Amino acid sequence: MIVPVEKQFNKIEEQRHRLLDEVSKLSHEQQNFKPSAKEWSIAQVLNHLIFSESNAVKYMQKKMLGVDAASDAGALATFRSFLLKFFLRLPVKYRAPKVALPVQEEVYIVENLKKQWDAVRSDLKKILDQLDATSANKLIFKHPVSGRHNIFQAMTFLEEHIGHHKKQIERIKTSPQFPS
């Protein structure tokens, strides 16, 4: 794995482990508490993160089959990546794109979600291990709203996406009805 990508991967792995450690300390009831019928529980937020990352990995696996033919990222991809990062950091609620909306169960076992996420991250690592400096700049990631990005921009998205939903988890935990 090339060094800059390895640094990004290690950073999102640390972020994921911190989030899972925090959620694992909550009771099953707290993990599955929904502030309202239309809002997600913490476990459902984790399921969304896993689902969207899984879709990203599947797309990247497909693109890696013909990585040499993929276009290089340019100024437009950089600009789209900047905008995506900017919007994810705003203190605003967004509806996830339909393609990133998993079918949500009412109750999850967080340990099972953790195992699913471990498998997705293992698949991501396999992709990253295949990249060299040239292929790392290829447009192999596709965000449903902002379009195609290179692996550096993809890793930035994964980090910002988790950070965005970490704020959502904090909002859930501060709900007046959150179980004690």
Side-chain angles (χ1 to χ4, degrees):
M1 189 180 312
I2 59 175
V3 174
V5 172
E6 184 176 22
K7 286 180 180 179
Q8 285 184 295
F9 181 75
N10 290 340
K11 190 172 182 179
I12 66 168
E13 270 296 90
E14 287 176 32
Q15 180 189 37
R16 180 177 75 99
H17 287 293
R18 280 193 312 272
L19 178 61
L20 289 170
D21 287 345
E22 179 184 320
V23 171
S24 295
K25 292 175 185 170
L26 300 173
S27 70
H28 178 75
E29 182 184 14
Q30 290 170 321
Q31 293 167 346
N32 288 281
F33 166 78
K34 292 173 66 173
S36 74
K38 293 183 179 185
E39 294 179 272
W40 286 345
S41 68
I42 292 170
Q44 288 173 320
V45 171
L46 291 181
N47 185 56
H48 163 72
L49 288 168
I50 296 162
F51 181 79
S52 61
E53 193 168 312
S54 175
N55 285 343
V57 167
K58 287 174 189 170
Y59 183 85
M60 288 189 273
Q61 287 169 329
K62 179 181 166 189
K63 293 303 281 185
M64 285 300 292
L65 296 174
V67 70
D68 294 335
S71 300
D72 287 334
L76 185 57
T78 301
F79 180 68
R80 289 191 318 260
S81 180
F82 169 79
L83 284 178
L84 181 58
K85 182 177 177 178
F86 174 78
F87 282 107
L88 284 171
R89 287 188 176 187
L90 288 176
V92 177
K93 288 183 180 182
Y94 300 104
R95 273 204 156 293
K98 286 186 180 185
V99 71
L101 289 173
V103 173
Q104 291 284 23
E105 302 292 329
E106 279 302 309
V107 176
Y108 285 98
I109 306 296
V110 167
E111 191 56 38
N112 293 342
L113 291 173
K114 181 189 176 306
K115 289 175 186 174
Q116 290 174 18
W117 209 351
D118 288 346
V120 171
R121 279 292 166 94
S122 175
D123 290 343
L124 175 60
K125 187 176 183 315
K126 289 174 189 171
I127 292 168
L128 301 179
D129 285 337
Q130 296 174 44
L131 294 170
D132 58 23
T134 302
S135 57
N137 194 44
K138 299 289 186 174
L139 296 170
I140 64 165
F141 167 71
K142 185 176 182 183
H143 184 273
V145 174
S146 65
R148 296 185 308 146
H149 303 278
N150 67 25
I151 197 63
F152 304 108
Q153 295 157 346
M155 299 296 282
T156 298
F157 164 72
L158 293 176
E159 179 185 355
E160 294 294 331
H161 190 226
I162 293 170
H164 175 77
H165 286 291
K166 173 90 169 75
K167 292 179 224 164
Q168 181 182 10
I169 289 170
E170 293 306 316
R171 282 194 309 269
I172 294 168
K173 288 168 56 179
T174 60
S175 172
Q177 299 86 20
F178 190 74
S180 54

